[in-house]
Amino acid sequence: MPKFVSEFPIFSVTVDLVVLTIRDGVFSVLVIRRGEKPYAGRLALPGGFTQEREDIEDAAYRELKEEAGIGKGDVHLEQLQTFGAPRRDPRSRVVSVAWLALGADLPDPVAGSDAAAAEFRPVDEVLGSASPLAFDHADILSVGVERARSKLEYTGAAANYCPPEFTVGELRSVYEAVWGVELDPANFHRKVTRAEGFLSETGENTTRGGGRPAKLFRGSPRARLNPPILRD
Amino acid sequence: MPKFVSEFPIFSVTVDLVVLTIRDGVFSVLVIRRGEKPYAGRLALPGGFTQEREDIEDAAYRELKEEAGIGKGDVHLEQLQTFGAPRRDPRSRVVSVAWLALGADLPDPVAGSDAAAAEFRPVDEVLGSASPLAFDHADILSVGVERARSKLEYTGAAANYCPPEFTVGELRSVYEAVWGVELDPANFHRKVTRAEGFLSETGENTTRGGGRPAKLFRGSPRARLNPPILRD
DNA sequence: CCAAAAGTGTTGTGGGTACACCCATGA
DNA sequence: TCATGGGTGTACCCACAACACTTTTGG
């Protein structure tokens, strides 16, 4: 076992991941079942230790790969918040940098060894669960979900939950799943197609889903949506 | 010198502070002149090491007191972002949690010994300076300033730059200083006085500033401003 | 009196909501 | 033919920008 020595107080820095996607129309989060103490058997967010010479963002991507088989191009990743209460991990002083990852219908994580215990669960079920998440992960998840919801108001983040090309109806269903509301299809259509720089037509059509063929669009996940779509 | 030993990679965790206020109508940030290497003589954001059993938020408040003589009640403090590139501090592996502190016209920090080198400078001057900030502090400041600006759109954060009771005109001058724009006094007045739960009248009047006496209001810095005041 | 800032009125414009209606496909 | 979702039109309402105008103080 390696030994590290320091003249300053010793911290470990971990990354924890709030991985959100939409599975069968349900807003869902990736959780793992813990095998070890503390909190053995409880659900938790995926995550792990940052390495000695590793950028914290790289650590987040690495854990995403190791624990869920998700690659860099599969998700949008952004920093969420850092949690550093002295006793948040009973073993030692651990400061955790939480990250938010948004992706289109992600594969069932069965690949790696670590990933065996990982699965997507509905956000509402996990937050309202009788068996709460380990550590302060419920707090982290709450922050992540609120951030994900508010990003839909002012940005093109909804496109992160869609395949590269999608219809306006598919985009609307993202809003409906994430916010848990119903939106008027006609007004939503006008709103997003008129917002400058938000959607770009591919010229293709699709008929998946039945009904009249819909135009396919590409999104700009980083675009600012002006005027915003407010939740109230 | 104390020695700490660990079996995991060793990190130090610091806090860095973006302290913003408005001085004589100018949007300003608190900076210190570094006395030691590295970056000796350069300007930097105030900050310091988190202690062994200290919550990171408490560390931010402590540094605020030590380096600028600013107490807990004097500012609104919120977490900004964490900076953890491997080489951001040439001495060792340091992860810094940056915080945003917003306050009404804050005292010139001359109190403590550490605070001797601290002073407020115009944000534009510091960001555009020929002598850039130490470490990655220019990045941190940019993130802080952008957050501060965008918070004015959707929240009552502007009240943080005002005394407990203030006039609508004073509030408007906050927006003008932070955004660097001019706003129509009449429309601004209607907008903020009509927003539900945003301002509450004290019943008092004031004549500071000349002209017709203005009503005094109290703000709700945490209130959500709906509809928002957009910058464009 | 004038200057200065507070606050109100008014009008045109643009976006939102609600909902009627038509379009293009599969079954 | 019908059902299904895509997409457009329209009417009402509210918010906002622009700017004229009145109010209340100090000098």
PDB file of all heavy atoms in Angstrom, chain A residues 196-229:
ATOM      1  N   GLU A 196     -33.841  31.801 -32.267  1.00  0.00           N
ATOM      2  CA  GLU A 196     -32.674  31.941 -33.147  1.00  0.00           C
ATOM      3  C   GLU A 196     -31.520  31.050 -32.675  1.00  0.00           C
ATOM      4  O   GLU A 196     -31.159  31.040 -31.503  1.00  0.00           O
ATOM      5  CB  GLU A 196     -32.228  33.406 -33.135  1.00  0.00           C
ATOM      6  CG  GLU A 196     -31.423  33.839 -34.341  1.00  0.00           C
ATOM      7  CD  GLU A 196     -32.275  33.907 -35.605  1.00  0.00           C
ATOM      8  OE1 GLU A 196     -33.505  34.114 -35.480  1.00  0.00           O
ATOM      9  OE2 GLU A 196     -31.706  33.752 -36.697  1.00  0.00           O
ATOM     10  N   GLY A 197     -30.958  30.278 -33.602  1.00  0.00           N
ATOM     11  CA  GLY A 197     -29.758  29.497 -33.283  1.00  0.00           C
ATOM     12  C   GLY A 197     -29.990  28.311 -32.379  1.00  0.00           C
ATOM     13  O   GLY A 197     -29.050  27.728 -31.845  1.00  0.00           O
ATOM     14  N   PHE A 198     -31.247  27.941 -32.193  1.00  0.00           N
ATOM     15  CA  PHE A 198     -31.559  26.874 -31.246  1.00  0.00           C
ATOM     16  C   PHE A 198     -31.649  25.521 -31.946  1.00  0.00           C
ATOM     17  O   PHE A 198     -31.063  24.536 -31.522  1.00  0.00           O
ATOM     18  CB  PHE A 198     -32.873  27.213 -30.545  1.00  0.00           C
ATOM     19  CG  PHE A 198     -33.236  26.282 -29.440  1.00  0.00           C
ATOM     20  CD1 PHE A 198     -32.396  26.104 -28.358  1.00  0.00           C
ATOM     21  CD2 PHE A 198     -34.440  25.593 -29.476  1.00  0.00           C
ATOM     22  CE1 PHE A 198     -32.737  25.254 -27.330  1.00  0.00           C
ATOM     23  CE2 PHE A 198     -34.787  24.741 -28.439  1.00  0.00           C
ATOM     24  CZ  PHE A 198     -33.939  24.573 -27.374  1.00  0.00           C
ATOM     25  N   LEU A 199     -32.378  25.472 -33.030  1.00  0.00           N
ATOM     26  CA  LEU A 199     -32.516  24.249 -33.812  1.00  0.00           C
ATOM     27  C   LEU A 199     -32.061  24.512 -35.241  1.00  0.00           C
ATOM     28  O   LEU A 199     -32.250  25.601 -35.765  1.00  0.00           O
ATOM     29  CB  LEU A 199     -33.986  23.789 -33.850  1.00  0.00           C
ATOM     30  CG  LEU A 199     -34.593  23.325 -32.539  1.00  0.00           C
ATOM     31  CD1 LEU A 199     -36.044  22.922 -32.743  1.00  0.00           C
ATOM     32  CD2 LEU A 199     -33.795  22.163 -31.953  1.00  0.00           C
ATOM     33  N   SER A 200     -31.486  23.484 -35.875  1.00  0.00           N
ATOM     34  CA  SER A 200     -31.201  23.617 -37.298  1.00  0.00           C
ATOM     35  C   SER A 200     -31.800  22.411 -38.029  1.00  0.00           C
ATOM     36  O   SER A 200     -31.635  21.266 -37.615  1.00  0.00           O
ATOM     37  CB  SER A 200     -29.692  23.712 -37.540  1.00  0.00           C
ATOM     38  OG  SER A 200     -29.021  22.606 -36.966  1.00  0.00           O
ATOM     39  N   GLU A 201     -32.518  22.721 -39.102  1.00  0.00           N
ATOM     40  CA  GLU A 201     -33.165  21.664 -39.878  1.00  0.00           C
ATOM     41  C   GLU A 201     -32.133  20.801 -40.594  1.00  0.00           C
ATOM     42  O   GLU A 201     -31.144  21.319 -41.103  1.00  0.00           O
ATOM     43  CB  GLU A 201     -34.091  22.283 -40.934  1.00  0.00           C
ATOM     44  CG  GLU A 201     -35.469  22.584 -40.418  1.00  0.00           C
ATOM     45  CD  GLU A 201     -36.410  23.013 -41.547  1.00  0.00           C
ATOM     46  OE1 GLU A 201     -36.659  22.181 -42.437  1.00  0.00           O
ATOM     47  OE2 GLU A 201     -36.881  24.156 -41.507  1.00  0.00           O
ATOM     48  N   THR A 202     -32.394  19.513 -40.631  1.00  0.00           N
ATOM     49  CA  THR A 202     -31.503  18.635 -41.388  1.00  0.00           C
ATOM     50  C   THR A 202     -32.007  18.466 -42.817  1.00  0.00           C
ATOM     51  O   THR A 202     -31.260  18.059 -43.693  1.00  0.00           O
ATOM     52  CB  THR A 202     -31.433  17.245 -40.753  1.00  0.00           C
ATOM     53  OG1 THR A 202     -32.725  16.639 -40.855  1.00  0.00           O
ATOM     54  CG2 THR A 202     -31.017  17.332 -39.310  1.00  0.00           C
ATOM     55  N   GLY A 203     -33.300  18.751 -43.041  1.00  0.00           N
ATOM     56  CA  GLY A 203     -33.894  18.509 -44.343  1.00  0.00           C
ATOM     57  C   GLY A 203     -34.543  17.137 -44.425  1.00  0.00           C
ATOM     58  O   GLY A 203     -35.338  16.877 -45.318  1.00  0.00           O
ATOM     59  N   GLU A 204     -34.198  16.265 -43.507  1.00  0.00           N
ATOM     60  CA  GLU A 204     -34.769  14.918 -43.494  1.00  0.00           C
ATOM     61  C   GLU A 204     -36.100  14.905 -42.744  1.00  0.00           C
ATOM     62  O   GLU A 204     -36.395  15.790 -41.948  1.00  0.00           O
ATOM     63  CB  GLU A 204     -33.811  13.955 -42.790  1.00  0.00           C
ATOM     64  CG  GLU A 204     -32.416  13.913 -43.386  1.00  0.00           C
ATOM     65  CD  GLU A 204     -32.411  13.253 -44.753  1.00  0.00           C
ATOM     66  OE1 GLU A 204     -32.988  12.157 -44.867  1.00  0.00           O
ATOM     67  OE2 GLU A 204     -31.852  13.845 -45.696  1.00  0.00           O
ATOM     68  N   ASN A 205     -36.854  13.856 -43.025  1.00  0.00           N
ATOM     69  CA  ASN A 205     -38.102  13.620 -42.307  1.00  0.00           C
ATOM     70  C   ASN A 205     -38.062  12.234 -41.659  1.00  0.00           C
ATOM     71  O   ASN A 205     -37.258  11.397 -42.025  1.00  0.00           O
ATOM     72  CB  ASN A 205     -39.292  13.670 -43.267  1.00  0.00           C
ATOM     73  CG  ASN A 205     -39.663  15.106 -43.600  1.00  0.00           C
ATOM     74  OD1 ASN A 205     -38.929  16.024 -43.307  1.00  0.00           O
ATOM     75  ND2 ASN A 205     -40.810  15.271 -44.232  1.00  0.00           N
ATOM     76  N   THR A 206     -38.965  12.039 -40.746  1.00  0.00           N
ATOM     77  CA  THR A 206     -39.057  10.707 -40.157  1.00  0.00           C
ATOM     78  C   THR A 206     -40.517  10.411 -39.869  1.00  0.00           C
ATOM     79  O   THR A 206     -41.327  11.324 -39.722  1.00  0.00           O
ATOM     80  CB  THR A 206     -38.269  10.592 -38.857  1.00  0.00           C
ATOM     81  OG1 THR A 206     -38.366   9.251 -38.389  1.00  0.00           O
ATOM     82  CG2 THR A 206     -38.839  11.513 -37.799  1.00  0.00           C
ATOM     83  N   THR A 207     -40.817   9.149 -39.798  1.00  0.00           N
ATOM     84  CA  THR A 207     -42.184   8.781 -39.450  1.00  0.00           C
ATOM     85  C   THR A 207     -42.223   7.934 -38.196  1.00  0.00           C
ATOM     86  O   THR A 207     -43.254   7.376 -37.856  1.00  0.00           O
ATOM     87  CB  THR A 207     -42.855   7.992 -40.582  1.00  0.00           C
ATOM     88  OG1 THR A 207     -42.106   6.783 -40.797  1.00  0.00           O
ATOM     89  CG2 THR A 207     -42.914   8.792 -41.851  1.00  0.00           C
ATOM     90  N   ARG A 208     -41.085   7.816 -37.521  1.00  0.00           N
ATOM     91  CA  ARG A 208     -41.130   7.033 -36.282  1.00  0.00           C
ATOM     92  C   ARG A 208     -42.121   7.691 -35.344  1.00  0.00           C
ATOM     93  O   ARG A 208     -42.159   8.913 -35.197  1.00  0.00           O
ATOM     94  CB  ARG A 208     -39.744   6.932 -35.640  1.00  0.00           C
ATOM     95  CG  ARG A 208     -39.054   8.244 -35.285  1.00  0.00           C
ATOM     96  CD  ARG A 208     -37.776   7.974 -34.462  1.00  0.00           C
ATOM     97  NE  ARG A 208     -37.049   9.183 -34.105  1.00  0.00           N
ATOM     98  CZ  ARG A 208     -35.951   9.606 -34.709  1.00  0.00           C
ATOM     99  NH1 ARG A 208     -35.434   8.930 -35.712  1.00  0.00           N
ATOM    100  NH2 ARG A 208     -35.337  10.707 -34.294  1.00  0.00           N
ATOM    101  N   GLY A 209     -42.973   6.854 -34.759  1.00  0.00           N
ATOM    102  CA  GLY A 209     -43.976   7.391 -33.852  1.00  0.00           C
ATOM    103  C   GLY A 209     -45.345   7.522 -34.472  1.00  0.00           C
ATOM    104  O   GLY A 209     -46.298   7.871 -33.803  1.00  0.00           O
ATOM    105  N   GLY A 210     -45.460   7.243 -35.778  1.00  0.00           N
ATOM    106  CA  GLY A 210     -46.769   7.318 -36.401  1.00  0.00           C
ATOM    107  C   GLY A 210     -47.205   8.740 -36.664  1.00  0.00           C
ATOM    108  O   GLY A 210     -46.567   9.685 -36.211  1.00  0.00           O
ATOM    109  N   GLY A 211     -48.284   8.898 -37.389  1.00  0.00           N
ATOM    110  CA  GLY A 211     -48.779  10.220 -37.727  1.00  0.00           C
ATOM    111  C   GLY A 211     -48.002  10.834 -38.866  1.00  0.00           C
ATOM    112  O   GLY A 211     -47.202  10.187 -39.536  1.00  0.00           O
ATOM    113  N   ARG A 212     -48.266  12.105 -39.081  1.00  0.00           N
ATOM    114  CA  ARG A 212     -47.611  12.823 -40.167  1.00  0.00           C
ATOM    115  C   ARG A 212     -46.087  12.857 -39.959  1.00  0.00           C
ATOM    116  O   ARG A 212     -45.622  13.056 -38.850  1.00  0.00           O
ATOM    117  CB  ARG A 212     -48.158  14.255 -40.186  1.00  0.00           C
ATOM    118  CG  ARG A 212     -47.433  15.187 -41.111  1.00  0.00           C
ATOM    119  CD  ARG A 212     -48.158  16.518 -41.107  1.00  0.00           C
ATOM    120  NE  ARG A 212     -47.366  17.553 -41.705  1.00  0.00           N
ATOM    121  CZ  ARG A 212     -47.780  18.817 -41.805  1.00  0.00           C
ATOM    122  NH1 ARG A 212     -48.961  19.165 -41.328  1.00  0.00           N
ATOM    123  NH2 ARG A 212     -47.026  19.717 -42.357  1.00  0.00           N
ATOM    124  N   PRO A 213     -45.311  12.668 -41.028  1.00  0.00           N
ATOM    125  CA  PRO A 213     -43.859  12.688 -40.884  1.00  0.00           C
ATOM    126  C   PRO A 213     -43.391  14.023 -40.307  1.00  0.00           C
ATOM    127  O   PRO A 213     -43.937  15.078 -40.647  1.00  0.00           O
ATOM    128  CB  PRO A 213     -43.357  12.511 -42.317  1.00  0.00           C
ATOM    129  CG  PRO A 213     -44.468  11.878 -43.044  1.00  0.00           C
ATOM    130  CD  PRO A 213     -45.723  12.376 -42.407  1.00  0.00           C
ATOM    131  N   ALA A 214     -42.405  13.942 -39.437  1.00  0.00           N
ATOM    132  CA  ALA A 214     -41.912  15.152 -38.783  1.00  0.00           C
ATOM    133  C   ALA A 214     -40.530  15.497 -39.308  1.00  0.00           C
ATOM    134  O   ALA A 214     -39.741  14.631 -39.658  1.00  0.00           O
ATOM    135  CB  ALA A 214     -41.852  14.936 -37.271  1.00  0.00           C
ATOM    136  N   LYS A 215     -40.265  16.789 -39.366  1.00  0.00           N
ATOM    137  CA  LYS A 215     -38.927  17.233 -39.744  1.00  0.00           C
ATOM    138  C   LYS A 215     -37.930  16.832 -38.664  1.00  0.00           C
ATOM    139  O   LYS A 215     -38.251  16.829 -37.475  1.00  0.00           O
ATOM    140  CB  LYS A 215     -38.899  18.758 -39.913  1.00  0.00           C
ATOM    141  CG  LYS A 215     -39.677  19.271 -41.096  1.00  0.00           C
ATOM    142  CD  LYS A 215     -39.584  20.793 -41.174  1.00  0.00           C
ATOM    143  CE  LYS A 215     -40.446  21.340 -42.297  1.00  0.00           C
ATOM    144  NZ  LYS A 215     -40.547  22.809 -42.264  1.00  0.00           N
ATOM    145  N   LEU A 216     -36.718  16.557 -39.115  1.00  0.00           N
ATOM    146  CA  LEU A 216     -35.650  16.248 -38.167  1.00  0.00           C
ATOM    147  C   LEU A 216     -34.774  17.482 -37.965  1.00  0.00           C
ATOM    148  O   LEU A 216     -34.502  18.224 -38.910  1.00  0.00           O
ATOM    149  CB  LEU A 216     -34.799  15.089 -38.678  1.00  0.00           C
ATOM    150  CG  LEU A 216     -35.422  13.704 -38.511  1.00  0.00           C
ATOM    151  CD1 LEU A 216     -34.601  12.652 -39.226  1.00  0.00           C
ATOM    152  CD2 LEU A 216     -35.538  13.360 -37.025  1.00  0.00           C
ATOM    153  N   PHE A 217     -34.353  17.658 -36.740  1.00  0.00           N
ATOM    154  CA  PHE A 217     -33.509  18.808 -36.392  1.00  0.00           C
ATOM    155  C   PHE A 217     -32.260  18.334 -35.666  1.00  0.00           C
ATOM    156  O   PHE A 217     -32.226  17.239 -35.107  1.00  0.00           O
ATOM    157  CB  PHE A 217     -34.266  19.771 -35.466  1.00  0.00           C
ATOM    158  CG  PHE A 217     -35.455  20.412 -36.116  1.00  0.00           C
ATOM    159  CD1 PHE A 217     -36.696  19.775 -36.107  1.00  0.00           C
ATOM    160  CD2 PHE A 217     -35.347  21.652 -36.714  1.00  0.00           C
ATOM    161  CE1 PHE A 217     -37.794  20.371 -36.690  1.00  0.00           C
ATOM    162  CE2 PHE A 217     -36.446  22.253 -37.303  1.00  0.00           C
ATOM    163  CZ  PHE A 217     -37.675  21.601 -37.295  1.00  0.00           C
ATOM    164  N   ARG A 218     -31.258  19.201 -35.713  1.00  0.00           N
ATOM    165  CA  ARG A 218     -30.115  19.068 -34.828  1.00  0.00           C
ATOM    166  C   ARG A 218     -30.216  20.155 -33.787  1.00  0.00           C
ATOM    167  O   ARG A 218     -30.686  21.251 -34.064  1.00  0.00           O
ATOM    168  CB  ARG A 218     -28.805  19.258 -35.600  1.00  0.00           C
ATOM    169  CG  ARG A 218     -28.253  18.004 -36.196  1.00  0.00           C
ATOM    170  CD  ARG A 218     -26.954  18.296 -36.922  1.00  0.00           C
ATOM    171  NE  ARG A 218     -26.969  17.722 -38.260  1.00  0.00           N
ATOM    172  CZ  ARG A 218     -26.807  16.420 -38.503  1.00  0.00           C
ATOM    173  NH1 ARG A 218     -26.622  15.585 -37.496  1.00  0.00           N
ATOM    174  NH2 ARG A 218     -26.852  15.956 -39.731  1.00  0.00           N
ATOM    175  N   GLY A 219     -29.724  19.861 -32.579  1.00  0.00           N
ATOM    176  CA  GLY A 219     -29.803  20.836 -31.500  1.00  0.00           C
ATOM    177  C   GLY A 219     -28.479  21.495 -31.225  1.00  0.00           C
ATOM    178  O   GLY A 219     -27.444  21.063 -31.728  1.00  0.00           O
ATOM    179  N   SER A 220     -28.522  22.544 -30.461  1.00  0.00           N
ATOM    180  CA  SER A 220     -27.312  23.216 -29.994  1.00  0.00           C
ATOM    181  C   SER A 220     -27.369  23.253 -28.478  1.00  0.00           C
ATOM    182  O   SER A 220     -27.840  24.228 -27.899  1.00  0.00           O
ATOM    183  CB  SER A 220     -27.229  24.636 -30.541  1.00  0.00           C
ATOM    184  OG  SER A 220     -27.416  24.632 -31.934  1.00  0.00           O
ATOM    185  N   PRO A 221     -26.882  22.167 -27.850  1.00  0.00           N
ATOM    186  CA  PRO A 221     -27.052  22.039 -26.397  1.00  0.00           C
ATOM    187  C   PRO A 221     -26.504  23.221 -25.619  1.00  0.00           C
ATOM    188  O   PRO A 221     -26.963  23.529 -24.534  1.00  0.00           O
ATOM    189  CB  PRO A 221     -26.244  20.780 -26.063  1.00  0.00           C
ATOM    190  CG  PRO A 221     -26.200  20.004 -27.329  1.00  0.00           C
ATOM    191  CD  PRO A 221     -26.160  21.035 -28.416  1.00  0.00           C
ATOM    192  N   ARG A 222     -25.524  23.935 -26.196  1.00  0.00           N
ATOM    193  CA  ARG A 222     -24.906  25.032 -25.456  1.00  0.00           C
ATOM    194  C   ARG A 222     -25.570  26.363 -25.773  1.00  0.00           C
ATOM    195  O   ARG A 222     -25.226  27.393 -25.177  1.00  0.00           O
ATOM    196  CB  ARG A 222     -23.416  25.095 -25.770  1.00  0.00           C
ATOM    197  CG  ARG A 222     -22.707  23.782 -25.445  1.00  0.00           C
ATOM    198  CD  ARG A 222     -21.372  23.648 -26.176  1.00  0.00           C
ATOM    199  NE  ARG A 222     -20.374  24.550 -25.647  1.00  0.00           N
ATOM    200  CZ  ARG A 222     -19.184  24.727 -26.193  1.00  0.00           C
ATOM    201  NH1 ARG A 222     -18.855  24.054 -27.284  1.00  0.00           N
ATOM    202  NH2 ARG A 222     -18.322  25.558 -25.670  1.00  0.00           N
ATOM    203  N   ALA A 223     -26.513  26.348 -26.719  1.00  0.00           N
ATOM    204  CA  ALA A 223     -27.146  27.603 -27.096  1.00  0.00           C
ATOM    205  C   ALA A 223     -27.999  28.143 -25.949  1.00  0.00           C
ATOM    206  O   ALA A 223     -28.544  27.390 -25.143  1.00  0.00           O
ATOM    207  CB  ALA A 223     -28.015  27.403 -28.334  1.00  0.00           C
ATOM    208  N   ARG A 224     -28.086  29.435 -25.909  1.00  0.00           N
ATOM    209  CA  ARG A 224     -28.935  30.087 -24.931  1.00  0.00           C
ATOM    210  C   ARG A 224     -30.308  30.272 -25.580  1.00  0.00           C
ATOM    211  O   ARG A 224     -30.407  30.717 -26.719  1.00  0.00           O
ATOM    212  CB  ARG A 224     -28.329  31.430 -24.545  1.00  0.00           C
ATOM    213  CG  ARG A 224     -28.833  31.963 -23.247  1.00  0.00           C
ATOM    214  CD  ARG A 224     -27.988  33.151 -22.799  1.00  0.00           C
ATOM    215  NE  ARG A 224     -28.730  33.982 -21.860  1.00  0.00           N
ATOM    216  CZ  ARG A 224     -28.804  33.744 -20.562  1.00  0.00           C
ATOM    217  NH1 ARG A 224     -28.171  32.714 -20.050  1.00  0.00           N
ATOM    218  NH2 ARG A 224     -29.498  34.525 -19.768  1.00  0.00           N
ATOM    219  N   LEU A 225     -31.336  29.897 -24.859  1.00  0.00           N
ATOM    220  CA  LEU A 225     -32.697  29.950 -25.388  1.00  0.00           C
ATOM    221  C   LEU A 225     -33.359  31.260 -24.992  1.00  0.00           C
ATOM    222  O   LEU A 225     -33.643  31.511 -23.825  1.00  0.00           O
ATOM    223  CB  LEU A 225     -33.501  28.764 -24.857  1.00  0.00           C
ATOM    224  CG  LEU A 225     -34.950  28.670 -25.287  1.00  0.00           C
ATOM    225  CD1 LEU A 225     -35.069  28.684 -26.795  1.00  0.00           C
ATOM    226  CD2 LEU A 225     -35.563  27.409 -24.719  1.00  0.00           C
ATOM    227  N   ASN A 226     -33.581  32.118 -25.993  1.00  0.00           N
ATOM    228  CA  ASN A 226     -34.134  33.426 -25.704  1.00  0.00           C
ATOM    229  C   ASN A 226     -35.269  33.743 -26.662  1.00  0.00           C
ATOM    230  O   ASN A 226     -35.057  33.751 -27.869  1.00  0.00           O
ATOM    231  CB  ASN A 226     -33.037  34.493 -25.834  1.00  0.00           C
ATOM    232  CG  ASN A 226     -33.397  35.778 -25.126  1.00  0.00           C
ATOM    233  OD1 ASN A 226     -34.566  36.020 -24.839  1.00  0.00           O
ATOM    234  ND2 ASN A 226     -32.402  36.590 -24.846  1.00  0.00           N
ATOM    235  N   PRO A 227     -36.467  34.006 -26.150  1.00  0.00           N
ATOM    236  CA  PRO A 227     -36.819  34.053 -24.732  1.00  0.00           C
ATOM    237  C   PRO A 227     -36.911  32.652 -24.126  1.00  0.00           C
ATOM    238  O   PRO A 227     -37.117  31.676 -24.858  1.00  0.00           O
ATOM    239  CB  PRO A 227     -38.198  34.731 -24.738  1.00  0.00           C
ATOM    240  CG  PRO A 227     -38.748  34.497 -26.088  1.00  0.00           C
ATOM    241  CD  PRO A 227     -37.608  34.364 -27.015  1.00  0.00           C
ATOM    242  N   PRO A 228     -36.759  32.584 -22.814  1.00  0.00           N
ATOM    243  CA  PRO A 228     -36.771  31.280 -22.152  1.00  0.00           C
ATOM    244  C   PRO A 228     -38.150  30.644 -22.112  1.00  0.00           C
ATOM    245  O   PRO A 228     -39.160  31.299 -22.346  1.00  0.00           O
ATOM    246  CB  PRO A 228     -36.297  31.612 -20.734  1.00  0.00           C
ATOM    247  CG  PRO A 228     -36.657  33.040 -20.533  1.00  0.00           C
ATOM    248  CD  PRO A 228     -36.538  33.687 -21.882  1.00  0.00           C
ATOM    249  N   ILE A 229     -38.172  29.353 -21.868  1.00  0.00           N
ATOM    250  CA  ILE A 229     -39.419  28.644 -21.597  1.00  0.00           C
ATOM    251  C   ILE A 229     -39.525  28.521 -20.092  1.00  0.00           C
ATOM    252  O   ILE A 229     -38.769  27.767 -19.482  1.00  0.00           O
ATOM    253  CB  ILE A 229     -39.409  27.228 -22.226  1.00  0.00           C
ATOM    254  CG1 ILE A 229     -39.059  27.304 -23.707  1.00  0.00           C
ATOM    255  CG2 ILE A 229     -40.732  26.531 -22.005  1.00  0.00           C
ATOM    256  CD1 ILE A 229     -38.986  25.935 -24.360  1.00  0.00           C
TER     257      ILE A 229
END
